[in-house]
Amino acid sequence: MALVICENVSLRYDGQTVAENLHFTVEKGQYLCVVGENGSGKSTLIKGLLGLKTPAEGTIRYGDGLHRSEIGYLPQQTAAEQDFPASVREVVLSGRLGGMGLRPFYNKKDRELAEESMRRLGISELASRPYGALSGGQRQRVLLARALCGARRLLVLDEPVTGLDPVVTAELYQLVEKLNRQTGLAVVMVSHDISTALRYATHILHLQRTQLFFGTTADYVASAVGRAYLNESKA
Amino acid sequence: MLELLREMFSYGFLVRALAVGTLIALCAALLGVTLVLKRYSMIGDGLSHVGFGALTVAAAMNLAPLQVALPVVVLAAFLLLRLNETGKIKSDAGIALISTTALAIGVVVASQTTGLNSDLNSYMFGSILVLDGDDVVVSIVLSLAVLVFFVLFYHRIFAVTFDEDFARATGTRAGAMNLLIALLTAVTVVLGMRMMGTLLISGIVLFPTLSARRVCRRFSSLVVTAAIISVVCFVVGLILSYLVSTPVGATVILVNLAVLAVFSAVGALRARLQREA
């Protein structure tokens, strides 16, 4: 059974329909890239998948016993929180909260997982630095470490490489791919970088107010929609 | 100095004021951290105006002030939060609407009953004489409850303050947390407003956090620093108000202002030193 099932979903933003007639599923081990132009409803769809936004029509369901606390989420960076007084460790640890049930404080295992997550992203030496004093790339790695702390079955990434330099971007993509291949962690990633989408994703969802394509990456490249979009982005 | 303290605290009402005021200053500072960072600062202010309305109505009907003000202000806190979430009225406008309405009701009720007299004056600017024995017990118990809840939910309060969407998406009940924050704020405002004054209570919610932010870069240190600042300012303010015979609420706010000035200077100095280093 699929982890996430979208049936006949329409999403509105500020009273306007931004995406309609969406039908797709996210399975275990799947790496789904959501592509499409700006304003095609990608970020709104992500909010829908995470339960932050209720669909105007249709249903978004979690299957296979997937619980919210097993999801990791890397949001698009907002300017608002960049000045927030918090240390890197405080931010990363907060990724554990969802899975803690009624327990009020972090235990040893939570702290170990947070340290491991920071090690994996090479930010261990930043642990006690203030989040607000970091560069954009470092911040993004902190937020990814937070997401990985709690992500056991599904990782949702909204434009994860915005503002990152090419080296960090490549590292981030490789890390996500490794997690996906090795642990079967399902990945949903919004991206407007079609070449990386084709390189890493097992499946593609192409949005343009409605669902132009959903299927495997190989089928997408062969499809009319895929060919047209690829030519356009090369030009 | 010791002589002065001994003299001060030979008065029962000052001992009560010290006990209750210290606890309330502590609660106010802790909640202030999340209110300021979530940009909910005006909620504290709005709630205290609602508290003013409730106090005048309680006085007019000869009811105990706490028993009336507490439920009314808690209800107002839920309402303000709803306004904020549904976004039907922009929340700052919504808060102003509720504040002025409550103030207007209070003034009208007071003018029809006791008249605009010294009672009203003490509601607005606070009085140190209002706490009797029962109030002290209720205030201490409730403010200890606020402290316990804050400690138990500390990490979740951090999470919804830092990134509410993330918290919600990954299974933290953000709505319930916001409700808890509003509820604890309402209780703190009601307990503190009669001593500090309904027009001044939001100051002790906001000032300590604003001061601590000048020098703190971590959430945990911010919370601890704000708490210490708040308690110290309250005690210093209480002593000063006794020495120079000024109202305690206003004096505490001015002490807080002085601390903010000092912390701002320290923060600016440190930033300059870091740039040069």
Side-chain angles (χ1 to χ4, degrees), chain A residues 35-37 42 191-192 194 206 208 220 224-234:
Chain A
V35 300
E37 275 148 33
K42 291 175 299 194
S191 173
H192 51 228
I194 186 70
H206 190 144
Q208 191 60 58
Y220 180 69
V225 177
R227 284 204 310 269
Y229 191 58
L230 284 171
N231 281 331
E232 201 177 297
S233 27
K234 269 183 208 137

Side-chain angles (χ1 to χ4, degrees), chain A residues 40-86:
Chain A
S40 58
K42 291 175 299 194
S43 288
T44 311
L45 173 63
I46 291 298
K47 291 219 154 64
L49 290 182
L50 293 166
L52 299 174
K53 195 162 184 54
T54 319
E57 274 170 63
T59 54
I60 299 175
R61 284 184 294 133
Y62 293 163
D64 201 11
L66 177 69
H67 187 263
R68 214 169 264 298
S69 63
E70 297 168 312
I71 300 174
Y73 170 42
L74 179 66
Q76 254 179 320
Q77 280 202 36
T78 54
E81 68 196 31
Q82 292 185 355
D83 191 31
F84 196 95

Side-chain angles (χ1 to χ4, degrees), chain A residues 148-170:
Chain A
L148 292 181
C149 250
R152 285 193 294 280
R153 299 177 69 189
L154 175 64
L155 181 61
V156 179
L157 311 160
D158 193 355
E159 305 269 12
V161 299
T162 312
L164 300 191
D165 65 57
V167 177
V168 181
T169 300

Side-chain angles (χ1 to χ4, degrees), chain B residues 23-240:
Chain B
L23 279 172
I24 289 168
L26 194 57
C27 294
L30 297 180
L31 291 164
V33 170
T34 174
L35 293 177
V36 168
L37 293 174
K38 277 174 91 69
R39 294 162 206 276
Y40 280 1
S41 303
M42 288 308 290
I43 286 187
D45 200 51
L47 291 181
S48 58
H49 288 82
V50 174
F52 172 82
L55 284 183
T56 58
V57 172
M61 296 168 70
N62 270 325
L63 295 168
L66 272 187
Q67 276 87 319
V68 177
L70 204 55
V72 171
V73 175
V74 167
L75 206 68
F78 290 168
L79 192 67
L80 285 174
L81 209 62
R82 287 289 303 159
L83 272 181
N84 208 38
E85 278 166 4
T86 53
K88 284 215 179 75
I89 303 179
K90 284 275 173 264
S91 59
D92 57 341
I95 291 170
L97 213 73
I98 291 177
S99 293
T100 49
T101 306
L103 208 55
I105 291 173
V107 171
V108 167
V109 169
S111 72
Q112 289 301 305
T113 51
T114 53
L116 295 166
N117 58 12
S118 63
D119 267 3
L120 211 56
N121 195 43
S122 90
Y123 295 158
M124 283 176 148
F125 305 113
S127 160
I128 202 157
L129 300 168
V130 291
L131 295 168
D132 60 28
D134 284 349
D135 280 357
V136 171
V137 175
V138 173
S139 299
I140 288 177
V141 169
L142 282 178
S143 44
L144 285 176
V146 170
L147 289 178
V148 168
F149 273 110
F150 186 87
V151 171
L152 284 180
F153 288 98
Y154 168 79
H155 292 300
R156 288 176 175 83
I157 289 175
F158 167 76
V160 297
T161 309
F162 179 69
D163 187 346
E164 188 168 325
D165 273 358
F166 177 85
R168 201 183 290 267
T170 54
T172 296
R173 297 183 52 194
M177 278 301 109
N178 285 337
L179 217 59
L180 179 76
I181 292 167
L183 179 71
L184 298 183
T185 308
V187 172
T188 306
V189 163
V190 169
L191 295 180
M193 69 189 178
R194 284 188 307 148
M195 191 197 304
M196 300 293 296
T198 49
L199 296 185
L200 296 166
I201 179 73
S202 59
I204 67 160
V205 176
L206 306 180
F207 267 111
T209 301
L210 294 175
S211 299
R213 267 206 87 171
R214 302 287 142 215
V215 296
C216 297
R217 297 283 173 274
R218 265 177 294 157
F219 193 74
S220 53
S221 62
L222 183 74
V223 168
V224 172
T225 311
I228 294 171
I229 290 174
S230 186
V231 169
V232 169
C233 285
F234 175 78
V235 175
V236 171
L238 185 67
I239 294 171
L240 279 178

